[in-house]
């Protein structure tokens, strides 16, 4: 008799949300046009990240994605920032706006405190993705000798949720319009003993 044992699996969750994409796009574009970037130094990876308000519509996206994760994995997660925290909300939820020929290099959202209080699950929510505005690509190693990729050609209102340590990048925006994405980091919900 044989037994199959999985030591590692690499998966993500994707789907679509029914939220007001125009409100989210207009908010992100307003912040982009007013240069509300996370970093001023153009060499800093956060320089392309745009500060957005933690609005009602953003909260709807966050709460819906928390529910999706709970349904798929039976795990409670919460945004890595909660109302009342003294930290910056845009460290947990922000926009990325790419104009023509812009892209995002290979990166991940891991930190020294992953799986305890840091980013455990990350998400991309595509608010505005015109044709030819770029793909979202996961890069992974099924073994020590090969590197594989999985490409998502995102659509309006689509999301992807994935392990925060998963390397990913975005290909060049070849459209004449802006690509607008809202990115998020979630942590495992901290349960008080009791």
């Amino acid at each position: 008799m044989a037994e199959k044992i999985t030591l590692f699996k690499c998966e993500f969750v994707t789907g679509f949300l029914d939220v007001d994409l125009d409100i989210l796009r207009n908010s992100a574009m307003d912040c982009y046009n007013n240069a509300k970037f996370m970093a001023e130094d153009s060499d800093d990876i956060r320089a392309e990240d745009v500060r957005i308000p933690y609005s009602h519509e953003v909260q709807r996206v966050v709460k819906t994605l928390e529910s999706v994760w709970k349904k798929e994995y039976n795990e409670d997660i919460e945004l890595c920032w909660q109302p009342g925290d003294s930290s910056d909300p845009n460290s947990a939820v922000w926009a990325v706006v790419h104009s023509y020929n812009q892209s995002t290099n290979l990166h991940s959202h891991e930190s020294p405190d992953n799986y305890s209080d840091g980013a455990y699950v990350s998400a991309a929510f595509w608010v505005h993705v015109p044709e030819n505005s770029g793909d979202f690509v996961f890069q992974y190693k099924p073994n020590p000798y090969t590197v594989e990729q999985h490409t998502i050609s995102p659509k309006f209102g689509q999301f992807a949720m994935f392990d925060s340590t998963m390397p990913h990048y975005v290909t060049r925006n070849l459209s004449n319009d802006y690509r607008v994405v809202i990115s998020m980091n979630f942590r495992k919900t901290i349960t008080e003993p009791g």
Side-chain angles (χ1 to χ4, degrees), residues 43 69 102 170 191:
D43 292 332
W69 193 263
Q102 289 186 312
V170 179
T191 307

Short mmCIF file of all heavy atoms in Angstrom, two decimals, residues 43 69 102 170 191:
data_model
loop_
_atom_site.label_atom_id
_atom_site.label_comp_id
_atom_site.label_asym_id
_atom_site.label_seq_id
_atom_site.Cartn_x
_atom_site.Cartn_y
_atom_site.Cartn_z
N ASP A 43 14.55 55.14 -6.17
CA ASP A 43 15.21 53.84 -6.09
C ASP A 43 14.57 52.93 -5.05
O ASP A 43 14.85 51.73 -5.01
CB ASP A 43 16.70 54.00 -5.77
CG ASP A 43 17.47 54.63 -6.92
OD1 ASP A 43 17.03 54.46 -8.07
OD2 ASP A 43 18.49 55.28 -6.67
N TRP A 69 -10.74 33.97 2.18
CA TRP A 69 -9.67 33.15 2.74
C TRP A 69 -10.22 32.18 3.79
O TRP A 69 -9.83 31.01 3.82
CB TRP A 69 -8.58 34.03 3.33
CG TRP A 69 -7.33 33.25 3.63
CD1 TRP A 69 -6.95 32.72 4.83
CD2 TRP A 69 -6.31 32.90 2.70
NE1 TRP A 69 -5.76 32.06 4.71
CE2 TRP A 69 -5.35 32.15 3.40
CE3 TRP A 69 -6.12 33.14 1.34
CZ2 TRP A 69 -4.19 31.66 2.79
CZ3 TRP A 69 -4.98 32.64 0.74
CH2 TRP A 69 -4.03 31.90 1.46
N GLN A 102 5.59 51.08 -17.68
CA GLN A 102 6.00 50.80 -16.30
C GLN A 102 5.69 49.36 -15.94
O GLN A 102 4.76 48.75 -16.47
CB GLN A 102 5.32 51.76 -15.33
CG GLN A 102 5.84 53.18 -15.43
CD GLN A 102 5.23 54.07 -14.36
OE1 GLN A 102 4.04 54.08 -14.15
NE2 GLN A 102 6.09 54.83 -13.70
N VAL A 170 5.23 42.17 -12.21
CA VAL A 170 4.22 42.64 -13.16
C VAL A 170 4.93 43.06 -14.44
O VAL A 170 5.92 43.80 -14.39
CB VAL A 170 3.42 43.83 -12.57
CG1 VAL A 170 2.39 44.32 -13.58
CG2 VAL A 170 2.77 43.45 -11.26
N THR A 191 -5.54 35.57 18.25
CA THR A 191 -6.59 35.18 19.16
C THR A 191 -6.06 35.27 20.58
O THR A 191 -5.02 34.69 20.90
CB THR A 191 -7.06 33.74 18.88
OG1 THR A 191 -7.39 33.65 17.49
CG2 THR A 191 -8.26 33.37 19.72
#
